[in-house]
Amino acid sequence: MGDFIPVNEPLLDGNEKRYLSECIDSGWVSSDGPFVKKFEKAFGAYLGLPPGVSVCNGTAALETALHALGVQPGDEVIVPSFTIISCALAAIRLGARCVLVDIDPETWCMNVNDIERKITSHTKVIMAVHIYGHPVEMDPVMEIAEKYSLKILEDAAEVHGAEYFSRKRGSRWLRCGSLGDAAAFSFYANKIVTTGEGGMVLSRDPDVLEKAASYRNLCFKPEKRFYHEEIGYNFRMTNLQAAVGLAQLERINEFVAIKRRLGEYYQRRLSEIPCLHFQKEKPWAKSVYWMYAVELNPTLELTAEVVMARLRERKIDTRPFFLGLHAQPVLRELGMVHAENFPHTDAASRYGFYLPSGLTLTESKIDLVCKALADSVKDRF
Ligand SMILES: Cc1ncc(COP(=O)(O)O)c(C=O)c1O
């Protein structure tokens, strides 16, 4: 598409083709092939955890993980208002209710100071959703979870390789996805490690892993096939997907280094444009800048939609921010969200969008994007 700058392009020029050929040559194309186990082991090891439970996408990973953590009808799950609907669906499908918390306007991650007042006798899990590459402040979340005996599910779809400095866990840097009782990853095509579509549940708790593995595979009993004592799903990942995933994972350090380098460059260039807010790395965070996102200051009197259209005219692809879960018509109709205000989420949804962010981006393309962005808002000051 000529000089069009896409929001994302995966880098698939490592061992992906070779491993895929191995699957095809050997005939192992279902979830029974050897790459599935290899990918699960390698991804778990990357996080310092036992092998994960691979699934068919990140949405399935969230539901499988919540199920494995014991969420049942009538339970409540604390979820940030600013996230993808997958987080709410995972709870709803298990008959649980989502209780929303607004975001910290600086990081767009859940406001950890808003969690405690939302806890009731029904609360079971806090879902900590790391946003656009930047971690949630996890120590306070862990403290609240301990105080009220709650479980933590990290949604780590957007933070492959990001780290959090945990004072609570021995004052050291730990990878996002290894901090809670379980974590859900997505390997959708725009994620840092991709399998096209795919996901994984991680945990250090063997019971959670065993349950997740069973739910993902229709709750077949290993010792008595076609005999079922529980309701499961077919959420299996194929050997073909895992082959791509393993090849991608071999390069994760390189990918994270690219994302951080480009992220830092973007930050320098974006800070030259007045009236823009973007995620600044907190001292306790190592962001992977999964998406280079900006929020326009309302004083510009320009919405994200208007600026995105201006950028599209200049062949620059962008994506809007999430609409808050509290504003989703389907969740409101179902009575699944309560009538509270989430002003920071609303502002982010109205004024936020993300810029080209793929691994194939270059500094000169970032210059073009930032110049176009500056031109698109300059009539306002
Ligand atoms: C924070 C978050 N959670 C969950 C998901 C769902 O993942 P998937 O698209 O693989 O179902 C996404 C998807 O992009 C996401 O950004």
Side-chain angles (χ1 to χ4, degrees):
M1 214 176 168
D3 49 356
F4 181 76
I5 307 182
V7 135
N8 186 64
E9 256 177 331
L11 255 188
L12 296 161
D13 53 356
N15 281 323
E16 288 81 355
K17 264 193 197 158
R18 188 157 76 81
Y19 293 169
L20 278 173
S21 300
E22 277 181 40
C23 299
I24 291 165
D25 293 344
S26 66
W28 286 111
V29 292
S30 76
S31 60
D32 268 338
F35 280 113
V36 175
K37 288 266 172 298
K38 283 187 197 169
F39 182 43
E40 291 177 336
K41 189 167 177 215
F43 202 76
Y46 177 72
L47 293 164
L49 296 175
V53 174
S54 61
V55 290
C56 52
N57 56 57
T59 305
L62 285 168
E63 185 171 344
T64 308
L66 274 190
H67 201 163
L69 287 172
V71 169
Q72 292 178 352
D75 287 343
E76 291 176 1
V77 179
I78 295 186
V79 177
S81 44
F82 185 71
T83 186
I84 192 161
I85 197 159
S86 310
C87 301
L89 295 181
I92 290 168
R93 292 211 197 278
L94 294 168
R97 240 182 118 245
C98 287
V99 175
L100 304 180
V101 296
D102 205 353
I103 48 169
D104 168 355
E106 285 191 22
T107 61
W108 300 312
C109 291
M110 71 199 304
N111 176 358
V112 296
N113 300 318
D114 200 24
I115 296 175
E116 200 163 358
R117 73 180 179 95
K118 300 289 173 81
I119 291 171
T120 71
S121 57
H122 299 289
T123 312
K124 189 74 154 272
V125 173
I126 303 171
M127 196 187 288
V129 185
H130 307 291
I131 292 287
Y132 299 148
H134 194 286
V136 172
E137 190 176 3
M138 291 300 290
D139 278 353
V141 179
M142 292 192 262
E143 264 150 33
I144 295 168
E146 255 171 43
K147 183 167 162 193
Y148 295 93
S149 302
L150 306 176
K151 302 281 186 197
I152 299 174
L153 171 59
E154 291 181 80
D155 180 340
E158 304 186 354
V159 283
H160 305 183
E163 294 179 33
Y164 173 74
F165 187 83
S166 176
R167 284 182 203 285
K168 253 189 95 54
R169 289 270 187 85
S171 287
R172 58 201 167 116
W173 289 100
L174 293 167
R175 291 212 164 111
C176 292
S178 69
L179 294 145
D181 296 281
F185 281 83
S186 162
F187 304 118
Y188 179 64
N190 64 6
K191 300 302 186 299
I192 292 181
V193 164
T194 182
T195 58
E197 298 280 355
M200 204 179 291
V201 177
L202 278 301
S203 178
R204 60 183 81 250
D205 181 342
D207 183 50
V208 170
L209 291 169
E210 197 184 314
K211 286 192 171 124
S214 179
Y215 294 141
R216 159 271 316 252
N217 191 21
L218 298 170
C219 295
F220 280 122
K221 290 189 83 63
E223 65 286 0
K224 204 170 176 190
R225 208 169 163 81
F226 301 119
Y227 183 84
H228 304 269
E229 288 173 332
E230 274 184 287
I231 298 290
Y233 331 80
N234 176 355
F235 281 167
R236 300 184 297 254
M237 174 183 274
T238 67
N239 200 42
L240 296 159
Q241 291 166 307
V244 174
L246 188 68
Q248 289 268 294
L249 189 58
E250 287 168 356
R251 299 176 69 191
I252 190 165
N253 293 337
E254 179 196 341
F255 290 170
V256 167
I258 295 174
K259 292 294 288 173
R260 281 189 62 82
R261 179 172 54 76
L262 294 175
E264 281 156 17
Y265 188 72
Y266 246 126
Q267 298 235 320
R268 283 205 297 283
R269 297 307 317 270
L270 290 172
S271 57
E272 293 160 9
I273 308 172
C275 298
L276 282 187
H277 165 65
F278 46 90
Q279 272 179 331
K280 293 196 187 67
E281 197 174 53
K282 292 283 181 185
W284 38 260
K286 279 190 200 156
S287 173
V288 285
Y289 302 97
W290 172 62
M291 285 294 165
Y292 305 117
V294 291
E295 186 178 331
L296 305 165
N297 191 309
T299 55
L300 288 170
E301 294 182 359
L302 285 169
T303 59
E305 213 177 336
V306 170
V307 176
M308 288 166 67
R310 290 181 184 176
L311 290 171
R312 178 151 277 276
E313 277 165 23
R314 298 177 65 153
K315 297 191 173 171
I316 292 165
D317 199 15
T318 57
R319 291 284 182 282
F321 272 13
F322 300 120
L323 177 66
L325 292 179
H326 61 287
Q328 296 294 349
V330 65
L331 301 182
R332 292 172 77 104
E333 264 167 43
L334 288 171
M336 282 294 168
V337 286
H338 35 102
E340 205 186 315
N341 290 328
F342 298 89
H344 297 304
T345 295
D346 289 338
S349 305
R350 186 166 165 78
Y351 297 110
F353 59 100
Y354 51 86
L355 300 164
S357 303
L359 286 162
T360 56
L361 209 59
T362 58
E363 291 179 357
S364 58
K365 283 188 189 157
I366 293 177
D367 288 342
L368 281 175
V369 172
C370 291
K371 166 88 175 57
L373 181 56
D375 289 349
S376 304
V377 298
K378 76 168 181 241
D379 55 331
R380 297 302 163 127
F381 35 77

